[in-house]
């Protein structure tokens, strides 16, 4: 994992990871779990054209339940937002990352990365411009 993604508060504990895995309906990709272990949440404002706020485990559970993500988009889990305008979701079947506007509507879905690791590379490249 890139050093630029390390959190001041540290990564998620084993108990927090277990809580997420118990809550999730589907298997969560290892690259995403490894990210959470390293940094339990992240915010990038390196580029004003693209903003990424990746949620902590508590925020993941709270926001997915609050926005009823699994009700509208099965096999997806919300992992962050773009400053309140749209939500980033991880497609648990394909491993891809998509951006959906609020309210969630699959007609306006935009694939932003082939994998969570690919998304991290994209975010990291924003900071290196």
């Amino acid at each position: 994992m890139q050093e630029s993604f390390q959190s001041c508060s540290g990564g998620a504990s084993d108990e927090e990871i277990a809580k997420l895995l118990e809550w999730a309906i589907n298997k969560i990709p290892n690259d995403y779990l490894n990210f959470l272990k390293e940094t339990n949440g992240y915010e990038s404002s390196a580029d004003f054209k693209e903003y990424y706020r990746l949620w902590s485990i508590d925020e993941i559970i709270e926001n997915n339940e609050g926005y009823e993500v699994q009700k509208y988009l099965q096999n997806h889990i919300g992992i962050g937002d773009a400053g309140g305008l749209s939500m980033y979701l991880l497609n648990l079947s394909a491993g891809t990352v998509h951006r959906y506007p609020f309210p969630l509507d699959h007609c306006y879905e935009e694939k932003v990365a082939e994998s969570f690791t690919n998304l991290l590379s994209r975010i990291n490249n924003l900071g290196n411009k």
Side-chain angles (χ1 to χ4, degrees):
M1 199 69 52
Q2 300 283 339
E3 183 177 321
S4 61
F5 294 108
Q6 292 179 354
S7 170
C8 295
S9 60
S13 68
D14 290 340
E15 293 80 20
E16 289 171 311
I17 295 291
K19 177 181 174 182
L20 178 65
L21 292 173
E22 183 179 320
W23 170 83
I25 296 169
N26 298 309
K27 186 177 184 321
I28 297 175
N30 286 332
D31 58 349
Y32 184 57
L33 291 175
N34 290 334
F35 173 80
L36 291 171
K37 289 176 185 176
E38 224 177 279
T39 175
N40 191 11
Y42 175 79
E43 188 171 352
S44 170
S45 58
D47 184 334
F48 292 107
K49 294 178 185 174
E50 294 188 66
Y51 174 80
Y52 297 90
R53 189 171 77 89
L54 302 176
W55 299 328
S56 68
I57 289 175
D58 286 339
E59 291 173 309
I60 292 166
I61 295 170
E62 179 182 335
N63 290 332
N64 276 271
E65 289 176 355
Y67 291 112
E68 300 180 295
V69 172
Q70 287 69 38
K71 176 180 176 182
Y72 297 106
L73 299 167
Q74 294 181 356
N75 299 319
H76 288 71
I77 182 173
I79 60 170
D81 64 68
L85 302 175
S86 58
M87 181 186 295
Y88 295 104
L89 289 104
L90 183 58
N91 180 321
L92 298 174
S93 299
T96 53
V97 180
H98 302 257
R99 181 173 29 224
Y100 288 80
F102 287 113
L104 297 176
D105 185 343
H106 71 278
C107 292
Y108 299 102
E109 160 193 20
E110 175 191 1
K111 182 159 77 172
V112 295
E114 291 296 325
S115 68
F116 186 75
T117 298
N118 182 258
L119 178 70
L120 293 180
S121 294
R122 180 178 175 157
I123 294 170
N124 194 43
N125 287 336
L126 290 175
N128 293 328
K129 288 183 178 178

